[in-house]
Amino acid sequence: MNPAAINAVDTPELAEIRQAVRSLCETFPDDYWRQVDRERKYPTEFVTALTEAGFLAALIPEEYGGSGLKLRAAAVILEEVQAAGGNGSACHAQMYIMNTVLRHGSAEQKARYLPRIASGELRLQAFGVTEPTSGTDTLSLRTTAVRDGDRYIVNGQKIWTSRAEHSDLMLLLARTTPRDQVAKKTEGLSIFLVDMQEAVGNGLTIRPIRTMMNHATTEVFFDQMSVPAANLIGEEGMGFRYILSGMNAERILIAAECVGDAKWFVRKAADYAGERTLFGRPIGQNQGVQFPISRAYVQMRAAELMVREATDVYEGGGNAGAEANMAKMLAADASWAAADTCVQTFGGFGFAEEYDVERKFRETRLYQVAPISTNMILSYVAEHVLGLPRSY
């Protein structure tokens, strides 16, 4: 696979960023990722290196100590992490969570938090939205935040709150007005910035959830947790609209990661097929082996183009909802197809830890489900693109 040909549409700036990320990732070889996966550790060293190189502050404006880059650059960063065999899920949320603070936070909030996030002094990587009873039905969440003087008192529970144990700040969505007291069901939800260092043990409890991949995910419980009113982001009751504005960026960045995964699987499968000899010839000489790898490559390229289309619309200030959703779905499908093909190409060795295929296979499976499931994307396209009746 020729990286130069694949990335021929990169601008000189993007090509430089891509190479810089690739060089950084080379200092974290496969055995590093194998070890953190085996021991269920958080890749602190890798996240620190990305932070110190300025990559996690890519989208933070220069006035707050960031790089002031566009979304396409952030997508390239995360794509390259995945293509190198790493796992950007350890820190990718910081790329899109801080966007809520940047777009809707007060001048004081931005001045207080963004420079410290950019420098790495603070990590903003936990996003408290999903709940056990509501799942993707965000408007039915039950966590409440009740105003009490200059503070809000929070009670409730969140689940699949990844990186909560490794984040200093959490962006929390909670109901501030009962659902039966709002004119529209999208109203009455608010966003808060929670100081987790202060809250843990003082109303906030974090419980790790062991999953099939090393994703550092947790469930969190709020019991009379106090949050200063000054930590309310934007206007009370407007939180759902605020997180919607960041979801398109999230889906585009996750799609870029899936493209990176697909590139890794295709390269891995093609290299192995060219080297592995059975019955006196490389297995890659057989069309039954080479055709699935070729198909996976074609799917990856198509998804890559959709990601670029989505970033163009987003950066142009348009509504990228359809493009972001389609990019996420196509890229997740491409990475999963490439993963399955890679395992099949390796045969029994695909299940052996030392080849890293089974680890990446487990990791990329997540994106058929999160951060939004394929069925939800299809429902979105049916309603908002094709004009069909709302299905839920």
Side-chain angles (χ1 to χ4, degrees):
M1 225 162 75
N2 184 351
I6 294 176
N7 303 314
V9 297
D10 279 350
T11 63
E13 180 186 35
L14 289 177
E16 185 177 343
I17 291 171
R18 195 181 292 276
Q19 182 55 53
V21 177
R22 193 176 300 149
S23 297
L24 184 150
C25 289
E26 287 174 355
T27 64
F28 294 89
D30 293 336
D31 58 358
Y32 171 80
W33 293 104
R34 225 171 281 147
Q35 180 182 3
V36 296
D37 180 70
R38 185 186 308 125
E39 299 177 7
R40 295 289 171 138
K41 289 171 54 179
Y42 185 76
T44 301
E45 303 84 0
F46 177 72
V47 175
T48 299
L50 275 184
T51 302
E52 292 177 349
F55 292 128
L56 289 188
L59 298 177
I60 296 178
E62 293 183 24
E63 63 185 289
Y64 297 114
S67 303
L69 298 175
K70 293 185 177 180
L71 189 68
R72 176 69 184 132
V76 163
I77 291 168
L78 292 176
E79 178 195 311
E80 281 301 319
V81 169
Q82 303 301 115
N87 190 355
S89 69
C91 50
H92 61 192
Q94 188 155 302
M95 290 273 201
Y96 50 81
I97 290 178
M98 73 86 207
N99 192 50
T100 302
V101 180
L102 180 62
R103 287 191 174 192
H104 306 289
S106 67
E108 190 278 331
Q109 288 170 335
K110 288 186 280 191
R112 179 181 179 186
Y113 291 110
L114 290 180
R116 296 163 73 194
I117 293 170
S119 69
E121 180 185 347
L122 293 176
R123 287 181 180 169
L124 173 57
Q125 296 177 1
F127 197 17
V129 176
T130 306
E131 298 185 359
T133 57
S134 57
T136 51
D137 183 9
T138 304
L139 297 177
S140 296
L141 64 80
R142 298 178 180 179
T143 296
T144 61
V146 179
R147 184 71 181 255
D148 181 19
D150 62 353
R151 309 186 77 80
Y152 285 85
I153 304 302
V154 180
N155 287 282
Q157 177 185 0
K158 300 291 180 179
I159 197 168
W160 312 126
T161 308
S162 299
R163 300 162 299 274
E165 295 178 292
H166 307 281
S167 185
D168 300 298
L169 301 168
M170 174 194 290
L171 205 63
L172 173 67
L173 183 66
R175 181 162 291 285
T176 45
T177 303
R179 190 170 177 175
D180 59 3
Q181 295 180 23
V182 294
K184 297 180 180 180
K185 62 181 180 179
T186 55
E187 297 175 350
L189 297 173
S190 302
I191 287 282
F192 300 90
L193 202 55
V194 178
D195 183 337
M196 298 182 72
Q197 294 178 331
E198 178 182 303
V200 171
N202 292 302
L204 173 61
T205 302
I206 303 174
R207 182 181 300 165
I209 300 174
R210 188 174 178 87
T211 60
M212 67 185 283
M213 64 283 179
N214 182 31
H215 205 69
T217 198
T218 69
E219 54 183 339
V220 293
F221 301 86
F222 311 104
D223 182 11
Q224 296 293 107
M225 183 183 75
S226 177
V227 179
N231 285 28
L232 172 71
I233 302 294
E235 296 181 44
E236 183 180 297
M238 302 293 288
F240 185 70
R241 294 185 186 181
Y242 296 160
I243 67 165
L244 281 182
S245 68
M247 282 182 175
N248 289 336
E250 176 190 34
R251 287 164 194 177
I252 291 170
L253 292 177
I254 295 296
E257 288 191 29
C258 289
V259 168
D261 276 342
K263 288 182 178 182
W264 185 91
F265 284 117
V266 170
R267 184 182 68 248
K268 194 84 169 177
D271 288 349
Y272 185 79
E275 298 167 358
R276 175 66 164 162
T277 299
L278 285 175
F279 305 108
R281 55 193 269 165
I283 63 172
Q285 189 174 342
N286 301 310
Q287 292 180 342
V289 174
Q290 62 181 226
F291 282 8
I293 301 173
S294 298
R295 182 178 293 276
Y297 174 81
V298 172
Q299 287 180 275
M300 177 274 292
R301 291 305 309 275
E304 185 178 38
L305 291 174
M306 192 69 239
V307 172
R308 288 174 181 159
E309 171 73 9
T311 56
D312 286 346
V313 175
Y314 185 92
E315 291 176 356
N319 179 3
E323 290 80 7
N325 275 288
M326 290 188 288
K328 193 272 177 182
M329 175 178 161
L330 288 176
D333 285 349
S335 66
W336 182 233
D340 188 58
T341 294
C342 191
V343 170
Q344 199 70 19
T345 302
F346 271 74
F349 290 112
F351 298 91
E353 180 190 52
E354 64 182 292
Y355 289 91
D356 300 295
V357 175
E358 60 86 27
R359 170 177 62 84
K360 292 284 283 183
F361 180 91
R362 286 184 280 110
E363 291 171 355
T364 207
R365 179 60 179 84
L366 172 66
Y367 299 117
Q368 289 289 316
V369 176
I372 183 173
S373 73
T374 298
N375 286 344
M376 292 293 287
I377 291 175
L378 293 173
S379 291
Y380 180 95
V381 172
E383 179 184 355
H384 297 282
V385 178
L386 302 179
L388 294 171
R390 184 180 177 89
S391 62
Y392 61 91

